[in-house]
Structure formats: C-alpha cells, structure tokens
Amino acid sequence: MQLTIITSITGVLVLVYILELLRRQQLREKYAAIWLAIGVVVAPLGFFPTILDSTARKLGIASGVSLVLFAGFVLLLLVSLHLSWEASRLEAETRTLAEDVAMMRAYLAEHHDYPIARSNNDATKATDPGVTA
C-alpha cells in the first residue's frame, strides 16, 4: 500500500474514533473540536500529499512532508504543554478542595460533635475485640 492511502485511512479512522468518543461522552467537546480540526486537515493531506509542496518551498523547506512532520511535532509540544497546564490547575484545585473539606470537618468536630476520622490502625484497634492497646 502507498503511504498516501495509509495516511488517508488513518485520518478518516481518527475522525471516526473521535466522533465515537464524543458520542460516548468520554471526550469533552473542547478537546474534540481540536482533534476533529486536526483530523479534517490530515485526511485531505493523505489523499493529496502535494498540496503543501508549494507552501513548503516558499518557506524554504524541502518538501510538504517535512512541513507536515514539523507541524506535527510543534502540535504535539503544544498539546503536551496544554495538558501539563491542565494537570497543574487540577492539582491546585484538588488541594484547595481537600483543605476546605478538612476545615469543614474541623468546624463540625468542634461545634457539632462530628466524629474525627482516625487512621486505619486506630480504627482496627477500636473495632477488633482481639486487639489490645
């Protein structure tokens, strides 16, 4: 099989897979839009690989394939950066929520006789009659 056919089929399969993930609600819309846009660009480039040759020559790049490879590399770096930013933001949000829950538990324990959670070892000793302290 020629590389153009494999690239085209891969682009179409990626589009179908993204739509399936979206249908199952396993991929959020904001990410699906990005990946659908990438798939819509990749599929025609697979069918017509010479589309970017003139653009590549104007930019001083040897061929359209090299331009696509470079653009793909830059895209992967940007996706990686974005996911790192999202993970950092979610980590900070999780930390804030855990602190809020701890403060609420402390308030309830102080003012409303809310039971304070004990560690697993303390809980085992308290509930197991065979364990002596």
Side-chain angles (χ1 to χ4, degrees):
M1 282 183 114
Q2 290 184 340
L3 182 60
T4 57
I5 295 171
I6 293 172
T7 305
S8 303
I9 292 172
T10 302
V12 171
L13 288 176
V14 166
L15 283 174
V16 170
Y17 185 64
I18 291 167
L19 291 172
E20 181 62 20
L21 288 176
L22 197 56
R23 187 186 68 79
R24 292 183 188 175
Q25 297 180 347
Q26 293 179 342
L27 183 65
R28 292 187 54 198
E29 290 83 7
K30 72 178 185 179
Y31 299 118
I34 294 168
W35 290 114
L36 285 172
I38 291 168
V40 166
V41 169
V42 168
L45 286 175
F47 288 112
F48 309 105
T50 58
I51 291 174
L52 290 179
D53 284 344
S54 62
T55 305
R57 278 192 293 274
K58 289 177 186 176
L59 293 173
I61 299 173
S63 69
V65 175
S66 297
L67 179 61
V68 169
L69 183 63
F70 176 72
F73 178 74
V74 170
L75 177 73
L76 288 176
L77 284 176
L78 291 174
V79 168
S80 178
L81 179 64
H82 175 72
L83 291 176
S84 296
W85 172 76
E86 283 278 342
S88 298
R89 187 182 61 78
L90 290 173
E91 183 181 337
E93 185 176 333
T94 301
R95 186 180 318 112
T96 301
L97 290 172
E99 290 169 357
D100 290 347
V101 168
M103 289 175 26
M104 285 183 216
R105 284 184 179 167
Y107 175 82
L108 289 173
E110 185 177 326
H111 294 89
H112 300 288
D113 295 328
Y114 183 79
I116 298 175
R118 295 183 280 186
S119 69
N120 286 341
N121 291 337
D122 292 341
T124 303
K125 290 177 186 176
T127 58
D128 189 1
V131 176
T132 57

